[in-house]
Amino acid sequence: MPLALIPFLLLVVPVLEIGVFIAVGGAIGLWPTLGLVVLTAVIGSVLLRRQGLSTLDAIQRETRAGRVPGRELVSGLMIAIAGVLLLTPGFVTDTLGFLLFVPQLRDAVWRFLRSKVVVVGGQAAANFGRGAGTGRPEQPFRPNGAEAGRRSDVVDLSGDDYRRQPDPSSPWNADNTDDPSNRTLH
């Protein structure tokens, strides 16, 4: 979407919303119209929470499996946009927001974006999903750094296992700080 379209939308959408408010208010009355706006905001917040948590769970599953959660991230972004649209008062924005909660529509948008977007990444992007950065595609990514069949190089120590002792040769731990020979100039 070109950036020049944003000011146009900022002008057109409120005018369109006002027109729809007047039409709906004339058909069903003021209080039912306002009640409908509040009801769509409540329904939108419930849907946002439910589908948002479901999408977050799907992102975590994909990451744990060593796959890039591209589809899930795009779906999560569309759900967040749907939530903003539903919390914005108006029937046009509510309609667009409810449409973004439909999984089939989100999948269609994902397929369109996937065909149009080329992702270029460095070494970290190339190794995502490979065994702890080893470059072996047959090894799944392990978030804690451990590869299948091997021990991790990470050693987890508790406070009882490790004590930090001051280094007596360090100039930062010198007993006589007034002595100029103990100072380090930078």
Side-chain angles (χ1 to χ4, degrees):
M1 172 169 62
L3 292 178
L5 195 59
I6 293 174
F8 176 73
L9 289 176
L10 289 174
L11 178 66
V12 170
V13 171
V15 170
L16 192 59
E17 291 288 7
I18 290 170
V20 173
F21 270 131
I22 291 170
V24 172
I28 65 173
L30 173 66
W31 294 111
T33 302
L34 294 177
L36 200 54
V37 169
V38 171
L39 180 66
T40 58
V42 169
I43 292 172
S45 64
V46 170
L47 284 172
L48 176 64
R49 178 186 169 130
R50 192 170 180 172
Q51 288 196 10
L53 290 175
S54 158
T55 302
L56 183 61
D57 185 49
I59 289 170
Q60 290 173 343
R61 273 195 316 270
E62 288 294 308
T63 303
R64 271 187 248 123
R67 295 184 293 266
V68 177
R71 178 183 170 272
E72 290 77 12
L73 288 172
V74 170
S75 182
L77 177 65
M78 285 189 276
I79 288 171
I81 292 170
V84 169
L85 289 172
L86 284 168
L87 293 176
T88 304
F91 293 111
V92 175
T93 54
D94 288 348
T95 303
L96 294 174
F98 279 124
L99 285 174
L100 284 177
F101 276 124
V102 176
Q104 292 82 5
L105 181 68
R106 290 195 312 259
D107 287 342
V109 171
W110 165 245
R111 284 191 300 275
F112 172 77
L113 288 176
R114 190 177 57 188
S115 70
K116 300 293 180 194
V117 174
V118 176
V119 177
V120 178
Q123 188 64 27
N127 284 336
F128 191 89
R130 295 183 179 174
T134 61
R136 294 185 301 235
E138 69 276 358
Q139 295 290 329
F141 172 72
R142 305 279 188 227
N144 65 357
E147 291 186 43
R150 285 186 41 190
R151 291 181 37 191
S152 173
D153 293 336
V154 176
V155 178
D156 189 16
L157 299 176
S158 69
D160 297 331
D161 297 330
Y162 177 77
R163 300 248 191 274
R164 185 176 202 131
Q165 302 294 329
D167 183 6
S169 65
S170 171
W172 301 109
N173 294 325
D175 289 335
N176 187 1
T177 56
D178 293 332
D179 183 15
S181 65
N182 286 337
R183 294 188 185 147
T184 304
L185 299 176
H186 296 280

